[in-house]
Amino acid sequence: MRAMITAITRRFGPEVPALVGFLAVVVAIFGLAAPRFLSLANFDSMAFQLPELGLLTLAMLVPIISGGLNLAIIYTANIAGLTLAWVLLQFGGAEAGPGAFVLGVAAALLVGAAAGAVMGLVIAHIGAHPILVSLAMMIFLRGLGEFLTRGGDISGFPSYLAPIGHGSVLGLPVPMLIFLVAALVWHVMLTRTRHGFAVYMIGSNIRAAAYSGLHTRRTLTLIYTLSGVLCAVAGILMLTRFNSVRVGHGEALLLITVLACFLGGVDPFGGFGRVLPVVLALVILQVLSSGLNLLGANQHLSTAVWGLFLIGVMILRWVAGKVGQGRKRKDL
């Protein structure tokens, strides 16, 4: 058993066994407190709810590993969804054919990539701080979206979009399949590609990365471009799930994506982070939210619990760090 835990820790990170153990405890507690929690219907509901937050968290993950931040993820997703909606409306709205949807998806992905690329270019070539650049982009996209929609919703899309947001394949929700594919791609990118290696190097020490011959400007631009593309995927998924688009949808998820990254062991200063622990952190947050909801707790209480949870994690890490330092001193 110990050998298996050691192997998992080496391959996927030291956070994984602890997160799996905590998840098991939380599931057991809610399973006893709320009989409906362990029902197939509840798990199915969680599987439909998690992907939206999951995609946005992956879009936040790589910028954080690189030592930056992307505060524009929500509005990048919104503007990409608006782009798809506009294309569909131009081809008849509810009567638009599959070809219009394909064209709209391509346009939405292009808009998301463009928003990310602009941020990446400014960060890489001007040297502006990622927080300021992404904040400026967030304000711009929000204002643009409000101007285009006048603060209202856009709805009335083809019925064939429903299976993307609400359908299942072999019992697994389509949104969850999309999220799992994105997580796998992100894992491979970070662990098996030169770009992933450059991301970690830049997050650890961007000057050392430049001196070692890595093209830091190109890497930074690509980091935010890919983040924008994944935001666009999230925006497309939002449209298919809710059959409408509204600027500001998912605003409350911004800080939760940061919470999920830190809970998953991502270093807030950059240089370290893995996909699997972050996925487990997302599952834990979804379980907490669903469990509290079944117990009749207010939705705002779930947000408060998430915040307290993050504080608890930080305290535990501090204690673990002190214990580790003590052991090293004894060994010396």
Side-chain angles (χ1 to χ4, degrees):
M1 184 67 178
R2 181 177 296 180
M4 183 177 69
I5 293 176
T6 302
I8 293 175
T9 299
R10 288 178 178 176
R11 184 171 181 81
F12 299 108
E15 303 85 6
V16 171
L19 288 171
V20 171
F22 183 78
L23 176 61
V25 171
V26 172
V27 169
I29 292 174
F30 281 126
L32 293 174
R36 288 186 299 164
F37 179 81
L38 296 177
S39 66
L40 183 60
N42 184 53
F43 286 127
D44 190 57
S45 175
M46 287 193 289
F48 275 105
Q49 294 173 24
L50 184 143
E52 180 182 332
L53 173 61
L55 290 170
L56 293 170
T57 301
L58 292 177
M60 180 68 79
L61 172 62
V62 180
I64 292 180
I65 293 176
S66 71
L69 201 65
N70 185 359
L71 296 177
I73 57 171
I74 303 299
Y75 291 102
T76 302
N78 290 161
I79 206 72
L82 284 175
T83 302
L84 172 57
W86 180 81
V87 172
L88 290 173
L89 291 177
Q90 297 308 304
F91 285 88
E95 305 300 324
F101 175 68
V102 172
L103 179 62
V105 167
L109 294 175
L110 184 61
V111 167
V118 170
M119 288 188 288
L121 287 169
V122 173
I123 293 168
H125 292 272
I126 297 180
H129 198 284
I131 291 179
L132 296 178
V133 176
S134 60
L135 179 62
M137 180 60 72
M138 179 185 77
I139 295 171
F140 167 71
L141 293 176
R142 179 177 182 176
L144 179 62
E146 293 285 0
F147 170 75
L148 294 174
T149 63
R150 298 182 181 180
D153 294 1
I154 298 178
S155 58
F157 305 120
S159 58
Y160 61 77
L161 299 185
I164 300 175
H166 301 278
S168 299
V169 176
L170 300 177
L172 192 64
V174 173
M176 178 58 73
L177 284 173
I178 295 173
F179 168 64
L180 292 177
V181 169
L184 178 61
V185 170
W186 247 230
H187 170 73
V188 173
M189 178 189 71
L190 287 172
T191 58
R192 302 294 177 88
T193 68
R194 181 177 176 80
H195 173 68
F197 173 76
V199 169
Y200 286 111
M201 287 291 291
I202 289 175
S204 299
N205 191 320
I206 189 169
R207 289 187 178 180
Y211 290 147
S212 66
L214 293 176
H215 201 307
T216 56
R217 289 181 177 178
R218 183 174 60 195
T219 300
L220 283 170
T221 303
L222 185 57
I223 285 170
Y224 287 89
T225 301
L226 292 176
S227 177
V229 170
L230 201 53
C231 289
V233 175
I236 294 167
L237 186 60
M238 290 179 195
L239 183 149
T240 60
R241 271 185 48 76
F242 302 107
N243 197 36
S244 66
V245 181
R246 175 175 58 84
V247 176
H249 175 76
E251 281 181 311
L253 300 179
L254 176 60
L255 295 180
I256 306 304
T257 62
V258 179
L259 166 60
C261 288
F262 293 163
L263 177 59
V266 180
D267 191 329
F269 300 105
F272 181 81
R274 293 183 175 92
V275 172
L276 181 58
V278 172
V279 171
L280 289 174
L282 286 166
V283 174
I284 290 173
L285 292 176
Q286 184 62 58
V287 166
L288 286 171
S289 177
S290 298
L292 291 171
N293 182 55
L294 288 176
L295 292 177
N298 187 284
Q299 183 179 1
H300 299 294
L301 178 60
S302 298
T303 305
V305 170
W306 286 347
L308 288 175
F309 190 40
L310 178 58
I311 293 174
V313 168
M314 289 188 291
I315 293 174
L316 288 175
R317 286 185 181 174
W318 178 80
V319 172
K322 290 294 183 181
V323 172
Q325 290 178 1
R327 289 178 178 176
K328 289 181 179 178
R329 289 174 182 174
K330 288 182 179 180
D331 293 338
L332 293 174

